[in-house]
Amino acid sequence: MSLGWGFVGNGGIAGTMAAALERSAGGRLVAVAARDAARGQAFADAHGGARVHSGPGAVARMLADPQVEAVYVATVHPQHHTAARAALLAGKPVLVEKPMTVSLAATRDLVDTARAQDVFLMEAYWTGLLPGTAAMLAVIASGAIGEVQAVRADLGFAVPADAQRFHDPALGGGSLLDLGPYPLGLALTLLGRPHELRAVGSLTATGVDRQVALSLGYADGAVASLATSMVGSSRSGAWVEGTRGSIEIDAPIFDMHRFTVRTTDGVENVQEHTVERGHHLMLDHVHECLARGRTESPVVGLQFSLDLAEQLEQVVEQIGITRAVEPLGATGPTTEGRR
């Protein structure tokens, strides 16, 4: 059976996901909610001719469509909460782009709503569903590099000055919200929730972050050193250090396409796990979860999203990043932070 998907948003990542959906046997695009009718129609025409709902009330009209059986939220970050919550209250399973929201309170609200409604909710951390990630976790579980003691990861590139999405708080600008879920997600996957997080960074004239550097400490003595940037091109790879060896993850870390295992006894093993446009594997996972009647992913679970949101919140507060926060129960985002 093919699941009917409704997309909220028709930007770049929505296009990537629509193409991925065409590769997934378990679903099809049936509707799109868009602000602009012409752009929404162009998007639908490019991806199988889905029905287009545009203008005020577009999301509500799409959710009322009985053929929409699941919802993917691909708006700018500050608008995730409103659309995802409406879908959950309508009883529709939801896959929402990362970060799930721009505040810990809003993420908690979505998780609480999903649990109260007994409806599936997952953050679109597609890296967690890649075969390269599974292979890396298998290497670590085998004991090949011993106990993991440190994770070092960065992700950054120079963003043009006129790239509004990256500079405007109302659009979820800054390197942290856009890139941070990848290095933070890797550390969270390997080391769990930190007991200490320290952040430094610099801000743009609009108050969003140019770049951030994070130091995390864990109860067992492990540490993580993470960074994101939209002003400089970083290595964009990662290094996992263990008591008996290490794993070097090639750039870009979100692809997890290649890593090298080196052990203290001189063994070196390179693993290739290249997957073209791996987002379809995430959709396959969601389809499987729904077929099994699950309301939560066993891989990218709701606690993962809560822990990630908590760490993002700490960074925002420590550096004073300006963000457009959607107060719970309000009709639209408001801006908070240093200006």
Side-chain angles (χ1 to χ4, degrees):
M1 180 177 178
S2 185
L3 193 73
W5 281 87
F7 279 22
V8 181
N10 57 290
I13 187 60
T16 297
M17 287 290 286
L21 191 56
E22 293 168 8
R23 297 184 61 189
S24 176
R28 69 196 190 283
L29 181 62
V30 299
V32 178
R35 289 182 300 170
D36 181 84
R39 288 187 61 194
Q41 190 61 57
F43 181 89
D45 291 344
H47 299 288
R51 288 181 297 282
V52 178
H53 303 274
S54 61
V59 174
R61 292 196 302 275
M62 189 192 79
L63 294 176
D65 185 341
Q67 290 193 348
V68 173
E69 300 168 290
V71 174
Y72 169 59
V73 178
T75 61
V76 293
H77 310 324
Q79 297 173 15
H80 287 179
H81 175 266
T82 296
R85 191 172 193 275
L88 291 170
L89 291 175
K92 311 282 188 179
V94 176
L95 176 66
V96 58
E97 259 309 319
K98 62 199 174 309
M100 184 173 283
T101 73
V102 297
S103 73
L104 176 57
T107 297
R108 280 177 176 159
D109 183 64
L110 287 187
V111 170
D112 289 346
T113 301
R115 287 172 171 165
Q117 297 292 116
D118 199 31
V119 177
F120 182 88
L121 172 66
M122 190 180 107
E123 187 167 9
Y125 181 64
W126 63 289
T127 303
L129 283 308
L130 292 176
T133 299
M136 176 192 63
L137 293 174
V139 168
I140 293 172
S142 75
I145 66 166
E147 297 289 333
V148 175
Q149 299 296 307
V151 173
R152 310 188 194 283
D154 59 78
L155 185 58
F157 54 90
V159 172
D162 60 353
Q164 184 183 11
R165 182 175 76 82
F166 288 92
H167 295 278
D168 189 346
L171 301 179
S175 73
L176 176 70
L177 294 177
D178 206 67
L179 306 177
Y182 292 114
L184 280 167
L186 176 64
L188 183 57
T189 298
L190 297 181
L191 299 175
R193 183 180 179 185
H195 74 85
E196 181 181 17
L197 184 155
R198 297 180 183 179
V200 295
S202 57
L203 305 177
T204 68
T206 60
V208 303
D209 62 287
R210 299 170 71 250
Q211 55 187 346
V212 300
L214 313 176
S215 295
L216 294 80
Y218 300 82
D220 63 356
V223 297
S225 177
L226 314 173
T228 62
S229 175
M230 65 175 195
V231 294
S233 296
S234 75
R235 185 173 60 103
S236 294
W239 195 278
V240 182
E241 301 172 4
T243 53
R244 296 175 51 202
S246 64
I247 299 175
E248 181 180 4
I249 302 170
D250 285 13
I253 55 173
F254 49 76
D255 269 350
M256 287 298 298
H257 67 282
R258 185 176 189 268
F259 63 82
T260 304
V261 182
R262 298 182 179 91
T263 64
T264 52
D265 56 7
V267 175
E268 180 171 313
N269 174 35
V270 178
Q271 294 199 23
E272 300 270 1
H273 299 279
T274 301
V275 177
E276 183 181 0
R277 295 186 179 273
H279 294 78
H280 71 282
L281 298 176
M282 175 173 65
L283 288 165
D284 290 344
H285 176 73
V286 173
H287 295 154
E288 181 183 358
C289 286
L290 296 178
R292 292 175 177 268
R294 290 174 173 155
T295 57
E296 181 175 350
S297 165
V299 180
V300 186
L302 297 178
Q303 190 59 52
F304 174 93
S305 294
L306 288 169
D307 290 344
L308 179 59
E310 181 181 43
Q311 292 171 58
L312 292 171
E313 185 93 352
Q314 290 180 54
V315 179
V316 166
E317 292 178 348
Q318 288 183 32
I319 298 177
I321 296 170
T322 298
R323 59 179 172 174
V325 175
E326 202 160 62
L328 307 187
T331 56
T334 60
T335 301
E336 69 170 29
R338 296 177 188 169
R339 296 306 298 266

